[in-house]
Amino acid sequence: MSTKTPSSVKKASGKAKPVQIKTSFNNPYDICWSPLEMENMHYILEILKKRFKELGLQKKEPPTRQRRPRIRTKGQKGDNKDSEEASQDVMKEVPVESSEVEQHQGWSNLEVRKQLAIGINEVTRALEKDEVGLVLVCKSVKPVHMTNHLIQLSCSRAVPACQVPRLSENVSAFLSLKSVLALGFKRDSESFVDEINAIIPKVPSLKVPWLDQTTPQQDVVQKDPETPAEETVQCVAPDRDVKLRGSQKRKRDEVTDTKEDSDISQVTLHPLKIKRVVANPAKIRKQKGNKKKK
Amino acid sequence: MTTNVKDKDAYLRLNFLYQAAHCVLATNPENVELARFYCHTEKNISKRLVLRQDPSVKRTICKKCCSLLVPGVTSTVRQRKCRQRQRKTVVRCLSCGKTKQFLNNPSYVLWGDRPESQPQYQQSQSKQVATQKPPVNSKTAS
């Protein structure tokens, strides 16, 4: 038995306070990427490597002026003048260089570049406009919420998408970029048609629980309500949706006959998930009571 | 694991409303109003009964208009820069324009996802402490 804080322990038994557990309503859906096999992963990476080597697509970035670290020594004014002069010299040099380098800057092959969507923002925009035929995402992304939105986006547009580990490491080297977390091939791309057709069958199908709710369930409403949550909900759901349709006023008995409502009545209710968490001892709390409004 | 949770029927209701909002958007992507109503009701219930919602649920509901945020349908997601080297994910609700920002810190983990937050971890810790500390009280008592 150990006595920790004497103020909190009033009883003579010397027990510490029971740990308070908080319950929170957790997300019933588990939205995650479908796992990709090792063989398929290597196959995809090899195909991409070959293609990018053939095309020789590379980006040359303009030479960035390095920021000189300001060394603060005694006699700062003298140093400042010197640094200003030096910076002016550098400024004069850079525009001369840039005009020569402009011709070699940017992407080596613009047409091919237009058929690709490189980078998370570009892939997201292309998916929203529905221009993309295949999406490849790097698996070694931290934090995960950077690319999680792509799952639901690509599922809603019915675009095959998969998470390939180490995509960034391999592809960025070929394209001479820092990192490639998402790569999208546009639908009307001519130079990547073979690759897309080769990769798509290897890509596992994405499943978002609430989007693909077309699981066929026969005789659902006719069952007796033995199991509590699912059946009762399915009775209620078509009833509610029937009300929404307004003009089609139907009673509950006729729901089983209609084919239109059969899709909605096949939707299943996912079980309730509750998360039990212990309070965080290091939580930053606002101090109340010190400042009172007069 | 005991399932004796206070207000379990309220949690069931939250569960149903959340899934119903998703189904509504799945069947009719333009009917944002109904999804918004369901999420608004869900928020009201949790507010009235002081029920905690997981961040994974709260991140998909707009704070201002309570509409369900589905990337591509009711919200846009972009990666933006802030403060030189930091990048953040910005989720923008299309109906009200309110933004949610998440800083892209690779080492940050939500408290709920950490192993220390689990009650089983705390129990194992207390057991270890109990076995490690024998004769401290005997010295202080004497």
Side-chain angles (χ1 to χ4, degrees), chain A residues 7 24 116 189 227 291:
Chain A
S7 58
S24 63
L116 284 176
S189 69
T227 53
K291 293 180 185 177

Side-chain angles (χ1 to χ4, degrees), chain A residues 2-11 13-21 278, chain B residues 122 126:
Chain A
S2 60
T3 53
K4 290 181 183 175
T5 49
S7 58
S8 64
V9 177
K10 290 181 183 177
K11 293 180 183 177
S13 58
K15 286 182 187 173
K17 265 188 185 174
V19 177
Q20 284 183 341
I21 295 175
V278 169
Chain B
Q122 292 288 330
S126 59

Side-chain angles (χ1 to χ4, degrees), chain A residues 1-4 19 21-29 31 67 120-121 124-125 128 142-143 145-150 152-153 156-157 178 210-211 213 229 233 236-237 240-241 244 264 267-281, chain B residues 1-2 5 8 11-12 14-20 22-27 31 34 38 42 52-54 56-57 59-60 70-73 75-80 84-85 89 102-106 111-114 116-119 122 129 133 137:
Chain A
M1 295 208 295
S2 60
T3 53
K4 290 181 183 175
V19 177
I21 295 175
K22 293 185 188 178
T23 54
S24 63
F25 166 60
N26 203 355
N27 202 335
Y29 303 125
I31 294 168
R67 292 182 186 176
I120 303 176
N121 278 341
T124 321
R125 258 178 263 139
E128 284 169 8
K142 271 191 175 182
H145 63 74
M146 273 170 78
T147 50
N148 272 349
H149 65 281
L150 290 172
Q152 297 196 49
L153 251 180
S156 58
R157 264 69 170 175
K178 226 183 187 181
W210 56 274
L211 260 182
Q213 295 244 4
V233 164
V236 170
R240 196 177 274 189
D241 291 316
L244 291 174
I264 303 163
V267 167
T268 51
L269 182 74
H270 290 254
L272 172 68
K273 278 190 198 172
I274 290 183
K275 203 173 192 180
R276 302 175 85 232
V277 176
V278 169
N280 186 359
Chain B
M1 281 280 285
T2 53
V5 171
K8 192 168 184 188
Y11 279 109
L12 286 170
L14 287 183
N15 187 30
F16 179 80
L17 283 168
Y18 189 66
Q19 293 187 36
H22 278 280
C23 289
V24 157
L25 282 177
T27 45
N31 191 2
L34 186 61
Y38 286 158
E42 188 188 335
R52 188 158 182 255
Q53 291 186 4
D54 198 56
S56 54
V57 169
R59 283 180 180 185
T60 53
V70 176
V73 180
S75 69
T76 53
V77 181
R78 298 281 184 264
Q79 308 291 320
R80 300 233 185 270
Q84 292 181 337
R85 298 294 173 187
T89 313
F102 306 112
L103 198 59
N104 294 344
N105 186 356
W111 170 253
D113 300 334
R114 287 185 213 171
E116 301 105 59
S117 65
Q118 296 304 314
Q122 292 288 330
V129 165
K133 282 188 184 180
N137 288 333

